[in-house]
């Protein structure tokens, strides 16, 4: 529950994407948030205050004059009792009002009256032509300069039938933006390159050699780095995981593909985290046709050759980024991990207890560096990833 103890003020303005605001509110509540809702008059053409009240369990505010507030000042009281304000959907008109300080209804007034420390996020939602108009783009630039967070918009098929940029982000993506807005930006301005998942070494067009890595740890680290403000590129072997929001993902199959993707994306990288379970060997001669099983003939005699070591290759480059390795061992973790750290020439190596972690949602990590070993006790991979990012922030 990543929004436990947090209170969110959700503002709705008049766009068809109001139907997604209901799910957005629920998704924040599932993460532990308390959600209050303020709606403009136009938004009530698309969804009723009753729906939002039933979903959030809190009375909805629609007017600047509300006698339910003892002082009748909801524009002052509401923004003071929340940790963040998110306007979703946010129309071109509402963006224009925010950019110019126009306060002519409750939502625009409470945004203006919010304490400077309360983050304001807006999720633009409009027709592609409205989004692309210079006036909207000027207003968006103004909001950015004023420190207002812009969530999206996405591109795609629009309710009006046109295709292009202006779709509101999906509820799950908006939740990620809210979680990120409430987190210290310890990695702002940093660029991370992370490998994750297994590699797949082909034998023939239908067969290959791989391992049990699910990619969960690497994906969790990519997400945690993005939440902390980093720009993140994830080079991933074959996994069934969705791409973490905000992260650029490059899919690869073999160790050699992964090496190429890593070396081709190293420019400007500050931190390289090699979480992937890279196959140590590949088949020397990959058959171009499926190897047939012929009765009476011997089984194929596969010859293996060593794969390049991606982490060691990056670590010994001139101007190498800060490199972090992972080690999955089935025994003697401390001894093997420390030896591996020295062999690969990396300042930090993270050990985990081998096969016990594969595919699981939780883990125990031990960090090895020049100062010795530091255990991050058993926890979810998501929490451990955040703790690892905190540790990196203190080391960089
Ligand atoms: N690694 C890599 N390229 C390889 C093998 C490993 O980049 N060809 C990286 C992994 O991503 C991990 C670290 O090296 O960060 C250690 O991986 P591991 O497989 O445990 O180490 P190996 O050097 O392969 O040693 P061994 O398999 O003998 O334990």
């Amino acid at each position: 529950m990543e929004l436990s103890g947090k209170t969110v003020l959700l503002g709705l303005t008049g766009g068809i994407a109001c139907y997604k605001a209901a799910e957005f509110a629920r998704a924040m509540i599932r993460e532990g948030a308390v959600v209050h809702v303020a709606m403009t008059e136009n938004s009530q053409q698309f969804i009723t205050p009753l729906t939002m009240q039933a979903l959030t369990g809190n009375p909805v505010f629609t007017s600047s004059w509300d006698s339910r507030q003892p002082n009748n000042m909801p524009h002052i009281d509401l923004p003071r009792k929340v940790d963040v304000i998110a306007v979703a959907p946010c129309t071109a008109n509402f963006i224009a009002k925010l950019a110019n300080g126009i306060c002519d209804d409750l939502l625009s007034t409470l945004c203006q009256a919010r304490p400077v420390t309360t983050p304001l996020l807006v999720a633009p939602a409009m027709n592609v032509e409205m989004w692309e108009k210079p006036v909207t783009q000027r207003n968006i630039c103004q909001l950015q300069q004023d420190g207002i967070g812009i969530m999206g918009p996405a591109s795609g098929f629009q309710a009006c039938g046109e295709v292009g940029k202006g779709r509101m982000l999906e509820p799950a993506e908006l939740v990620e933006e809210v979680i990120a807005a409430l987190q210290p930006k310890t990695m702002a301005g940093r660029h991370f390159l992370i490998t994750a998942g297994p590699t797949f070494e082909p034998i023939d067009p239908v067969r290959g050699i791989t391992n049990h890595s699910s990619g969960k740890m690497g994906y969790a680290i990519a997400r945690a780095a993005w939440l902390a403000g980093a720009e993140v590129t994830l080079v991933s072997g074959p996994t069934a995981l969705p791409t973490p929001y905000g992260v650029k993902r490059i899919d690869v199959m073999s160790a050699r593909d992964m090496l190429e993707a890593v070396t081709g994306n190293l420019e400007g990288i500050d931190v390289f985290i090699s979480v992937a379970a890279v196959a140590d060997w590949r088949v020397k001669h990959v058959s171009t046709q499926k190897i047939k099983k012929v009765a009476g003939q011997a089984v194929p005699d596969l010859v293996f050759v060593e794969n390049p070591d991606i982490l060691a290759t990056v670590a010994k480059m001139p101007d190498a980024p800060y490199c972090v390795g992972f080690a999955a061992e089935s025994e003697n973790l401390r001894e093997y991990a420390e030896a591996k750290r020295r062999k690969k020439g990396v300042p930090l190596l993270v050990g985990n207890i081998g096969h016990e972690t594969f595919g699981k949602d939780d883990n125990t990590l031990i960090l090895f560096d020049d100062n010795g070993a530091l255990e991050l006790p058993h926890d979810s991979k998501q929490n451990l990833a955040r703790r690892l990012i905190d540790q990196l922030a203190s080391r960089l």
Side-chain angles (χ1 to χ4, degrees), residues 50-107:
L50 175 72
T51 301
M52 297 311 292
Q53 177 169 355
L55 289 173
T56 61
N58 284 313
V60 170
F61 291 83
T62 56
S63 160
S64 297
W65 324 113
D66 198 318
S67 58
R68 288 174 300 183
Q69 293 294 101
N71 59 2
N72 212 316
M73 292 189 202
H75 70 292
I76 302 293
D77 296 350
L78 280 174
R80 272 156 193 73
K81 68 175 180 188
V82 301
D83 298 289
V84 56
I85 302 172
V87 179
C90 188
T91 59
N93 183 53
F94 199 78
I95 288 167
K97 290 206 281 186
L98 285 177
N100 291 284
I102 295 171
C103 306
D104 62 355
D105 62 6
L106 173 63
L107 188 57

Side-chain angles (χ1 to χ4, degrees), residues 62-232:
T62 56
S63 160
S64 297
W65 324 113
D66 198 318
S67 58
R68 288 174 300 183
Q69 293 294 101
N71 59 2
N72 212 316
M73 292 189 202
H75 70 292
I76 302 293
D77 296 350
L78 280 174
R80 272 156 193 73
K81 68 175 180 188
V82 301
D83 298 289
V84 56
I85 302 172
V87 179
C90 188
T91 59
N93 183 53
F94 199 78
I95 288 167
K97 290 206 281 186
L98 285 177
N100 291 284
I102 295 171
C103 306
D104 62 355
D105 62 6
L106 173 63
L107 188 57
S108 52
T109 313
L110 71 82
C111 286
Q112 183 86 326
R114 78 189 188 282
V116 279
T117 48
T118 305
L120 171 60
L121 308 171
V122 301
M126 66 198 73
N127 166 269
V128 55
E129 295 291 345
M130 296 173 81
W131 172 253
E132 285 175 357
K133 282 286 172 298
V135 65
T136 305
Q137 292 306 310
R138 273 201 310 277
N139 289 336
I140 287 288
C141 286
Q142 186 61 54
L143 298 197
Q144 283 167 331
Q145 278 172 31
D146 294 347
I148 295 173
I150 313 295
M151 307 189 283
S155 290
F157 187 63
Q158 303 198 306
C160 53
E162 294 184 12
V163 178
K165 206 163 179 187
R167 275 173 62 92
M168 188 168 84
L169 293 186
E170 295 305 318
E173 297 172 327
L174 295 173
V175 174
E176 289 291 277
E177 292 275 6
V178 171
I179 294 170
L182 292 168
Q183 233 186 254
K185 295 286 165 256
T186 54
M187 292 299 173
R190 305 259 189 211
H191 291 216
F192 277 58
L193 182 62
I194 298 170
T195 64
T199 61
F200 180 92
E201 308 298 330
I203 295 172
D204 68 16
V206 296
R207 303 183 182 93
I209 295 167
T210 186
N211 59 63
H212 280 307
S213 170
S214 63
K216 285 180 181 171
M217 194 70 239
Y219 276 57
I221 294 169
R223 173 173 184 253
W226 179 80
L227 288 174
E231 199 173 295
V232 183

Side-chain angles (χ1 to χ4, degrees), residues 274-276 278-280 308-311 325-329 340 343-344:
S274 182
V275 197
V278 184
D280 290 317
D309 188 319
I310 302 167
L311 177 59
F326 264 71
E329 305 292 348
K340 203 168 274 184
K343 190 179 89 183
K344 305 224 176 196

Side-chain angles (χ1 to χ4, degrees), residues 10 15-16 23 32 89-90 92 97 118 127-128 140 162 175 206 242 245 269 276 279 294 305 307 309 356 361 371:
L10 170 60
I16 183 58
E23 179 52 32
C90 188
K97 290 206 281 186
T118 305
N127 166 269
V128 55
I140 287 288
E162 294 184 12
V175 174
V206 296
Y245 175 70
I269 295 296
V294 181
V305 287
N307 265 330
D309 188 319
E356 286 175 20
D361 289 324
N371 298 320

